[in-house]
């Protein structure tokens, strides 16, 4: 793992039509971050939730598409959600290993598109996997079929998640599964028509809301506006969260329904892939009272919370 150089600056965004994408210059602190004190006056600094949003690049400087999130839970167990395109495998593996991690307690595939599960076959080879979760809807592609073959030969437990499920990790730290609830016919259609049903594949994405005491963050995979709208009807303002991982990489024409954004009302939305940075998406979040964090350079955004307060910082790979 290359040496990581850390820097913290004031967040600034200014997007205009015709302007080039601005460089990210961030330390964002929505709230003053201090170790919380519980009723017994004991510090909680050793029970922080850490959420890493890395971005990896090709040798030519172009971004490797996709999403992947590394989460170190308050009990120090490791949760990985999604895994970029296959060409990010070495960088993703080295990134995770740089924290001294040798096992992944929970490996989650929000859906089976290659830009979300591309590195999973390699992660399974390089780490001890304790539990695998998915939406249960593989697609008929080389990357997906290869992963399914590996999963079928693996000994670790596997579970399909659906709306209404709850994953409890430790005291005051859990995930509510908000979506989806697919029929067997829908799953069959997704597998047999992956090219013609890209929208349905994305709509099948797991939508996960991670809670740690008073802090919360939503990971919606690549859910489309149709799903955004359904979530708003199902949950309304209970979708409220401090942070939102912008649906479908921040695309404004397929995802990021304004009503959904308004119901979540995040302090910050994170766009991890810079292909879809536009004035429109900025305006949508601004209208909802939210700010956007763009992952524009090789490195990562880190969100750290003690359950009451949080801080956001950026580090770059040198």
């Amino acid at each position: 793992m290359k040496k990581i150089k850390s820097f913290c600056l004031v967040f600034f965004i200014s997007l205009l039509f015709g302007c080039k994408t601005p460089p990210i210059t961030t330390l964002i602190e929505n709230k003053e971050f201090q170790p919380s004190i519980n009723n017994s006056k004991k510090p909680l600094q050793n029970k922080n939730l850490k959420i890493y949003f890395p971005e990896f690049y090709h040798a030519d400087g172009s971004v490797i598409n996709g999403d992947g999130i590394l989460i170190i839970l308050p009990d120090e167990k490791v949760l990985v959600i999604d895994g970029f395109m296959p060409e990010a495998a070495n960088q993703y593996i080295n990134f995770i290993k740089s924290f001294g991690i040798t096992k992944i307690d929970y490996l989650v595939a929000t859906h089976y598109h290659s830009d979300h599960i591309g590195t999973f076959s390699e992660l399974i080879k390089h780490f001890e996997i304790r539990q695998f979760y998915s939406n249960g809807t593989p697609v008929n592609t080389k990357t997906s079929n290869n992963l399914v073959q590996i999963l079928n030969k693996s000994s670790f437990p596997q579970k399909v998640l659906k709306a209404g499920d709850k994953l409890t990790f430790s005291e005051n730290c859990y995930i509510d599964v908000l979506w989806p609830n697919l029929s067997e016919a829908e799953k069959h259609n997704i597998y047999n028509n992956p090219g013609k049903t890209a929208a349905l594949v994305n709509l099948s994405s797991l939508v996960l809301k991670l809670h740690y005491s008073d802090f919360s963050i939503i990971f919606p995979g690549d859910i489309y506006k149709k799903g955004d709208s359904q979530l708003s009807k199902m949950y309304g303002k209970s979708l409220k969260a401090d942070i939102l991982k912008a649906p479908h990489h921040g695309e404004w024409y397929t995802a990021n329904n304004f009503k959904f954004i308004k119901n979540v009302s995040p302090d910050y939305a994170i766009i991890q892939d810079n292909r879809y940075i536009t004035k429109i998406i900025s305006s949508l979040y601004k209208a909802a009272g939210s700010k956007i964090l763009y992952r524009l350079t090789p490195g990562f955004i880190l969100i750290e919370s003690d359950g009451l307060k949080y801080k956001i910082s950026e580090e770059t790979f040198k």
Side-chain angles (χ1 to χ4, degrees), residues 156-219:
F156 49 78
Q158 301 174 40
K159 182 178 179 180
V160 172
L161 298 177
K162 62 184 185 302
D165 288 343
K166 182 175 181 178
L167 305 178
T168 301
F169 303 118
S170 59
E171 185 179 3
N172 299 326
C173 186
Y174 59 93
I175 280 178
D176 282 324
V177 182
L178 307 182
W179 183 272
N181 198 348
L182 299 169
S183 68
E184 291 303 315
E186 287 173 320
K187 293 178 183 179
H188 177 81
N189 191 37
I190 287 170
Y191 180 81
N192 287 284
N193 299 287
K196 296 181 180 179
T197 60
L200 186 56
V201 175
N202 284 329
L203 271 168
S204 74
S205 294
L206 289 172
V207 178
L208 309 172
K209 186 173 184 180
L210 173 61
H211 303 259
Y212 181 35
S213 295
D214 292 340
F215 172 81
S216 59
I217 179 171
I218 293 179
F219 305 99

Side-chain angles (χ1 to χ4, degrees), residues 61-112:
S62 61
V63 67
I64 298 178
N65 295 331
D67 284 340
I69 302 111
L70 167 65
I71 301 173
I72 300 177
L73 297 163
D75 63 359
E76 298 188 352
K77 289 185 178 179
V78 176
L79 165 64
V80 171
I81 301 176
D82 289 342
F84 301 97
M85 293 291 285
E87 53 264 38
N90 288 338
Q91 293 181 67
Y92 203 24
I93 289 166
N94 289 336
F95 177 72
I96 295 171
K97 285 184 175 181
S98 72
F99 298 97
I101 293 169
T102 58
K103 67 179 179 180
I104 296 173
D105 297 280
Y106 315 100
L107 183 62
V108 180
T110 60
H111 62 297
Y112 280 78

